């Protein structure tokens, strides 16, 4: 390989799996610096996205599991820092980085491929001033601001009256904060839409992890079900990670208005999932983000003998040839939906938990560790190496050998 031009090596490396590249870092210094270079890292990620390579499915149950997308055979437990602790939730995935909630104040980012783990600084939850209330349900989201190449975590906290007081009919403004990986700090968002205080609905958001934002078009999305205070329609609420503002996303023209709405993402495009009394589910995709006329119906599924109930459905990924879509059904199983035949074929994955939430993540070399800490660790390693060499030299001389210069 020493005689192979570096541009040829780079092209070959772009096509290799992440695990192989991580092993190749130790072959030579040129390879080490090439693989760690941000330009190479981003180019490798872009190629993986375009070719649907290095894809995995994460299963979120009591523990976290990973399934290779190309095989879809076995679920393997994900080993990560604090994995022995119960209650860890993965609330987002973007470019190979998973966002973890360990507790309401203890959040972290993790890259399963590089095994880099980074805790976020604690940001205290601050109830509205002057009122006796406590924090209630907390919404989370994670994604990339493509304009600044920054990764951000969004936390939205709902508040209730204290236990000894009647809170019926009282709605407080949410506390919304955004964490920036580049700045390693939180920022409070003060410009909030008036409808946001009505967003949480107990049974809707607790089921199927609907409180976790869906990333599409650089925007995180949540559904606000119909409320008496706002009228009989669903809303898709978005938070733009670029300008850090809330938006309301236009929806398709549904023929039947009696449905339960969910949102999902399919290869970066926003999807609206309409459930009609658990008898039929339609999946729409927005081909051009923000353009109402670009909504197109992609899937329509009805109950069958093999699928006796349709409580929940989530599109996950296209097949390599784009003729099928992998979907999660009822938080219990998977199926391939054939776009031409309009039929579903079940997929059995060994070792998967009984119930789960599924999400796609892509293997990548994206760095999430603090550069300052990495520099300190590198300096410590160099100092340790110098001390070890000095000790070896002293031991050598103490035994009566002469040092030949």
């Amino acid at each position: 390989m020493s005689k192979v031009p570096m541009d040829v090596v780079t092209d070959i490396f772009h096509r290799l799996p992440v695990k192989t590249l991580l092993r190749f870092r130790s072959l030579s210094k040129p390879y080490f610096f090439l693989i760690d270079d941000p330009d190479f890292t981003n180019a490798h990620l872009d190629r993986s996205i375009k070719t649907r390579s290095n894809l995995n499915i994460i299963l979120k149950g009591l523990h976290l599991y990973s399934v290779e997308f190309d095989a879809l055979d076995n679920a393997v437990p994900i080993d990560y820092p604090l994995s022995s602790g119960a209650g860890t939730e993965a609330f987002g995935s973007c470019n190979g980085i998973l966002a973890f909630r360990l507790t309401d104040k203890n959040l972290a980012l993790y890259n399963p491929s590089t095994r880099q783990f980074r805790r976020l600084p604690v940001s205290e939850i601050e109830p509205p001033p002057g009122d006796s209330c406590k924090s209630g349900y907390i919404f989370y989201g994670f994604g990339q601001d493509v304009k600044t190449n920054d990764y951000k975590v969004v936390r939205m906290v709902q508040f209730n009256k204290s236990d000894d007081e009647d809170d019926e009919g009282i709605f407080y403004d949410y506390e919304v904060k955004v964490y920036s990986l580049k700045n390693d700090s939180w920022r409070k968002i003060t410009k909030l839409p008036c409808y946001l205080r009505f967003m949480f609905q107990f049974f809707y958001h607790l089921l199927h992890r609907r409180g976790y934002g869906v990333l599409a078009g650089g925007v995180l999305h949540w559904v606000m079900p119909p409320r008496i205070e706002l009228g009989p329609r669903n809303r898709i609420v978005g938070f733009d990670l670029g300008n850090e503002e809330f938006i309301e996303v236009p929806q398709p023209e549904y023929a039947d208005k009696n449905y339960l709405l969910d949102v999902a993402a399919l290869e970066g495009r926003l999807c609206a999932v309409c459930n009609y009394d658990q008898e039929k589910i339609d999946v729409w995709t927005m081909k051009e983000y923000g353009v109402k006329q670009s909504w197109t119906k992609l899937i329509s599924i009805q109950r069958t003998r093999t699928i006796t109930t349709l409580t929940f459905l989530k599109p996950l990924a296209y097949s390599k040839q784009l003729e099928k879509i992998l979907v999660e059904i009822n938080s219990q199983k998977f199926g391939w939906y054939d776009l031409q035949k309009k039929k579903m074929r079940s997929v059995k994955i060994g070792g998967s938990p009984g119930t789960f939430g599924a999400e796609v993540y892509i293997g990548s070399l994206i760095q999430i560790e603090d550069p300052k800490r990495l520099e300190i660790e590198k300096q410590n390693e160099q100092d340790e190496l110098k001390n070890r060499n000095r000790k070896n030299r002293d031991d050598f001389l103490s035994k009566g050998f002469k040092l030949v210069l």
Side-chain angles (χ1 to χ4, degrees), residues 144-150 152 182 218 240-244:
Q144 182 191 27
D145 175 3
V146 293
K147 295 179 182 177
T148 61
N149 192 29
D150 192 8
K152 297 180 178 181
K182 272 191 173 181
D240 191 312
L241 293 171
N243 57 32
E244 297 187 349

Side-chain angles (χ1 to χ4, degrees), residues 135 192 195 202 295 328 343:
S135 61
L192 306 177
Y195 57 75
F202 186 84
W295 281 108
E328 171 196 346
K343 291 183 178 181

Side-chain angles (χ1 to χ4, degrees), residues 221-222 234-238 247-249 251 261 263 270 272 295:
H221 303 84
W222 297 267
N234 294 278
R235 293 171 185 253
I236 299 179
V237 177
I247 61 173
E248 186 173 347
V249 181
Q251 297 182 53
L261 181 65
V263 286
L270 182 65
W295 281 108

Side-chain angles (χ1 to χ4, degrees), residues 240-347:
D240 191 312
L241 293 171
N243 57 32
E244 297 187 349
E245 292 182 353
F246 285 92
I247 61 173
E248 186 173 347
V249 181
Q251 297 182 53
E253 289 293 339
Y254 311 111
D256 187 345
K257 305 297 183 182
N258 184 26
Y259 59 89
L260 182 69
L261 181 65
D262 278 301
V263 286
L266 188 62
E267 293 203 344
R269 289 180 175 177
L270 182 65
C271 294
V273 183
C274 302
N275 191 321
Y276 298 96
D277 295 323
Q278 301 184 13
E279 295 284 341
K280 184 182 78 166
I281 291 180
D282 290 339
V283 178
W284 299 71
T285 183
M286 183 182 264
K287 292 188 174 181
E288 185 177 351
Y289 188 82
V291 179
K292 181 180 177 67
Q293 292 75 19
S294 71
W295 281 108
T296 304
K297 188 184 291 187
L298 188 64
I299 297 175
S300 186
I301 301 174
Q302 293 186 338
R303 285 201 313 166
T304 63
R305 291 181 180 179
T306 56
I307 305 176
T308 56
T309 59
L310 277 175
T311 58
F312 181 78
L313 185 139
K314 179 180 180 179
L316 293 170
Y318 284 99
S319 62
K320 291 277 189 181
Q321 290 74 33
L322 299 176
E323 83 280 13
K324 295 180 291 185
I325 297 175
L326 184 70
V327 298
E328 171 196 346
I329 306 169
N330 301 335
S331 299
Q332 294 178 330
K333 54 186 175 181
F334 294 100
W336 278 115
Y337 180 81
D338 192 305
L339 292 168
Q340 294 295 325
K341 298 178 181 179
K342 311 295 184 185
K343 291 183 178 181
M344 184 80 72
R345 177 175 61 85
S346 63
V347 177

